[in-house]
Amino acid sequence: MQVWKFGGTSVGKPERMKSIRQLITEDGNAKIVVLSALSGSTNSLLSISESLLAGQIAEAQSKAKVLRDHYDTFLSELYQTELGLAKGKSIVDKEFAFIDQLIATSPYGTKQEKEMVALGELLSTQIFEAYLQEEGVNSLLLPALDFMVIDEDNEPILKKIEENLGAILAKQPGKQIYITQGFICRNPQGEVDNLKRGGSDYTASLIGGAIAAEEVQIWTDIDGMHNNDPRIVKNTFPIRELSFAEAAELAYFGAKILHPSTITPAKLKGVPVRLKNTMEPSAYGTLISEKSTDVEIKAIAAKDNITAIYIHSTRMLNAYGFLKRVFEVFEKYKTPVDMITTSEVSVSVTIDQTTHLDSIMSELREFAELEDPDKDQVIICIVGNFWADKEGIAIKVLNAMKNIPIRMISYGASEHNISLLVDAKHKNESLNALNEGLFF
Ligand code: ADP
Ligand code: ASP
Ligand code: MG
């Protein structure tokens, strides 16, 4: 079986839903189809939630009304029959009644916010399933909340997902299309939770890993992974093939087309991931698999909201055990470190989760001297094949960056990644300069 995931823009308009109905059924093969919320819905739900957290009930109600109107228009353009439309209306009635219930909940907190934000995927999948039924497709909705589970650290539990989904599918065999929600899951308390923004990609690869799918396809609004961020750089082009390692680096370091964790389960289970364009299904897209091509420099990505911490040992030279103590502090606060550079007495690290920054700083101060952290930094990550005996790569990178101040450089940790830290104000300039210098 294959797993196909359609993002917000791919289901955001009635005509798009109609074209994906065509896409998923025309080859006749059975598949699990993961849907995101209609484009804009998750943001709207979060905005309603923000109003509620700020105690602005009337504002939340009027935002909910705007959203409801959007769904009503959507339904009237999607369904062809009275029966289909009535089914669609009853779905929207039910879920908006739940929104009203959440609006009336006091106190309104994170638990309610997670229930609110889950409604985007709950709505899109039920609306689509009713449409497939109207069209006579042999389909079934599998509620993600019945099988997608995360642990205390918000990490999906692949083994459990595999067991849950295996049991569900065994009970309901023989369907051509199984629809499910991306993004949403249950936490160890049994509450509704989610896999963070953009999480539907992750859902698809988790399902792909769980059922050992033949392939996972991520359908979006662009013809595959490009060599640079197309929102910032003009002359970008799609990359036909990427290895799991290369794609994982790009997703982790900011290529928005994939949720940062998407590659992990696919790589673990050896399931290829193909990125495809819903607007142009015949375009090749990008194939991510075990294989790599020999291309030297493949792509560039940028990860925002990075904080750099500069740590100096208060002890003399040659002190061992210093790095261990430094990293123990980050471990204690469950804060991942992205980039590290060292000199004999100093170490600089970057983090993107700053919830515990103050505690981390004060614990580090017990045995080290610290400079003020630099917030608003960006990691620019260059991905390719940088074998240890290859010459001339660093010079190309540094040459392209010759007019831009670089705070940190990391080269040699993997054969696939060179990372540079720059101030956020130099991000666009860096991506453009590297594009010119490395690809043209
Ligand atoms: P979806 O809603 O389908 O999940 P996303 O908006 O999350 O789609 O991801 C697709 C978008 O990612 C593209 O429209 C593009 O603007 C952006 N993007 C950023 N970096 C890249 C890249 N390197 N290659 C392709 N797309 C990228
Ligand atoms: N709907 C969620 C979001 O907007 C998940 C996703 O689209 O992947 O973040
Ligand atoms: Mg996305």
Side-chain angles (χ1 to χ4, degrees):
M1 216 157 29
Q2 295 199 348
V3 181
W4 288 21
K5 174 257 169 177
F6 292 88
T9 44
S10 303
V11 291
K13 297 217 166 78
E15 65 265 27
R16 296 252 69 87
M17 269 201 181
K18 291 180 187 176
S19 69
I20 67 170
R21 170 250 184 273
Q22 180 69 25
L23 265 175
I24 59 177
T25 49
E26 66 193 0
D27 64 6
N29 296 330
K31 38 186 88 73
I32 298 185
V33 174
V34 177
L35 298 190
S36 291
L38 313 193
S39 53
S41 276
T42 307
N43 286 345
S44 300
L45 292 161
L46 275 172
S47 166
I48 296 171
S49 194
E50 253 165 48
S51 301
L52 292 172
L53 288 168
Q56 316 272 2
I57 312 288
E59 190 181 83
Q61 281 164 335
S62 81
K63 286 176 180 172
K65 166 85 176 65
V66 173
L67 190 62
R68 166 86 211 218
D69 290 346
H70 177 70
Y71 277 91
D72 284 339
T73 315
F74 193 97
L75 299 184
S76 63
E77 289 169 24
L78 179 68
Y79 299 105
Q80 313 293 314
T81 63
E82 296 264 319
L83 192 66
L85 187 59
K87 182 80 188 56
K89 280 222 163 86
S90 80
I91 292 162
V92 172
D93 280 345
K94 179 186 70 179
E95 299 303 3
F96 275 81
F98 185 56
I99 292 183
D100 288 342
Q101 206 179 308
L102 286 171
I103 291 176
T105 306
S106 180
Y108 180 93
T110 13
K111 178 174 176 289
Q112 287 74 24
E113 178 165 71
K114 285 172 173 173
E115 290 176 356
M116 180 76 83
V117 82
L119 284 160
E121 274 69 14
L122 290 168
L123 277 159
S124 66
T125 46
Q126 293 179 80
I127 290 170
F128 188 59
E129 166 60 9
Y131 173 62
L132 293 182
Q133 292 297 323
E134 183 185 58
E135 291 279 296
V137 176
N138 178 19
S139 64
L140 181 73
L141 182 66
L142 303 178
L145 297 176
D146 290 350
F147 63 86
M148 191 56 68
V149 284
I150 55 172
D151 65 15
E152 297 288 350
D153 293 326
N154 300 315
E155 292 296 333
I157 316 167
L158 187 55
K159 187 99 191 46
K160 197 93 189 87
I161 297 166
E162 202 172 315
E163 283 167 20
N164 292 347
L165 192 55
I168 291 172
L169 287 169
K171 266 197 227 139
Q172 316 183 78
K175 297 287 173 188
Q176 187 193 352
I177 303 291
Y178 294 91
I179 304 288
T180 194
Q181 296 88 14
F183 179 59
I184 63 174
C185 59
R186 273 195 201 281
N187 63 26
Q189 289 73 46
E191 296 161 352
V192 175
D193 213 312
N194 62 68
L195 304 175
K196 310 272 152 43
R197 296 308 304 267
S200 298
D201 303 327
Y202 198 14
T203 301
S205 68
L206 286 161
I207 294 178
I211 65 162
E214 176 197 342
E215 186 166 290
V216 170
Q217 297 194 353
I218 311 268
W219 289 79
T220 181
D221 59 357
I222 190 165
D223 53 348
M225 177 76 80
H226 278 221
N227 69 311
N228 206 330
D229 192 328
R231 295 165 301 175
I232 296 169
V233 175
K234 271 210 190 85
N235 297 320
T236 65
F237 50 84
I239 310 164
R240 286 175 79 93
E241 273 186 57
L242 285 170
S243 67
F244 286 126
E246 291 164 342
E249 298 272 6
L250 287 169
Y252 185 75
F253 285 106
K256 195 210 167 207
I257 187 171
L258 286 178
H259 178 283
S261 307
T262 311
I263 299 303
T264 316
K267 182 170 191 262
L268 187 75
K269 300 283 181 153
V271 179
V273 177
R274 203 182 281 275
L275 310 183
K276 295 282 289 177
N277 188 354
T278 322
M279 325 295 159
E280 209 190 326
S282 59
Y284 183 85
T286 300
L287 176 63
I288 301 164
S289 69
E290 214 67 73
K291 274 197 312 180
S292 180
T293 49
D294 280 352
V295 178
E296 189 176 85
I297 296 176
K298 285 206 165 160
I300 302 165
K303 186 168 177 173
D304 299 321
N305 299 319
I306 301 293
T307 297
I309 306 174
Y310 308 106
I311 309 157
H312 308 288
S313 169
T314 44
R315 305 230 330 264
M316 44 346 21
L317 307 182
N318 280 328
Y320 56 82
F322 180 63
L323 284 178
K324 176 168 183 270
R325 292 186 73 184
V326 167
F327 287 110
E328 272 169 357
V329 176
F330 290 93
E331 188 191 345
K332 177 170 169 192
Y333 290 99
K334 294 188 173 174
T335 301
V337 168
D338 285 327
M339 250 178 109
I340 313 161
T341 57
T342 62
S343 80
E344 189 158 21
V345 289
S346 304
V347 47
S348 302
V349 303
T350 70
I351 58 174
D352 72 341
Q353 291 170 24
T354 49
T355 330
H356 303 293
L357 180 61
D358 291 343
S359 314
I360 289 172
M361 296 284 287
S362 78
E363 289 208 19
L364 288 171
R365 254 187 224 105
E366 287 170 15
F367 60 90
E369 275 169 14
L370 304 182
E371 287 171 43
D372 287 340
D374 273 329
K375 300 186 176 163
D376 259 331
Q377 303 293 297
V378 172
I379 295 176
I380 308 276
C381 165
I382 299 132
V383 166
N385 292 298
F386 312 133
W387 296 290
D389 58 355
K390 250 209 173 143
E391 75 292 339
I393 292 171
I395 190 83
K396 273 193 212 160
V397 171
L398 294 180
N399 233 334
M401 293 288 290
K402 64 177 180 283
N403 296 318
I404 303 165
I406 302 172
R407 302 297 313 244
M408 286 168 65
I409 302 177
S410 172
Y411 180 20
S414 100
E415 287 189 332
H416 300 293
N417 176 323
I418 300 173
S419 293
L420 310 171
L421 188 75
V422 300
D423 193 284
K425 64 176 183 259
H426 297 300
K427 171 183 167 180
N428 293 3
E429 197 187 345
S430 303
L431 290 179
N432 279 287
L434 286 165
N435 211 58
E436 279 303 306
L438 301 182
F439 297 105
F440 295 98

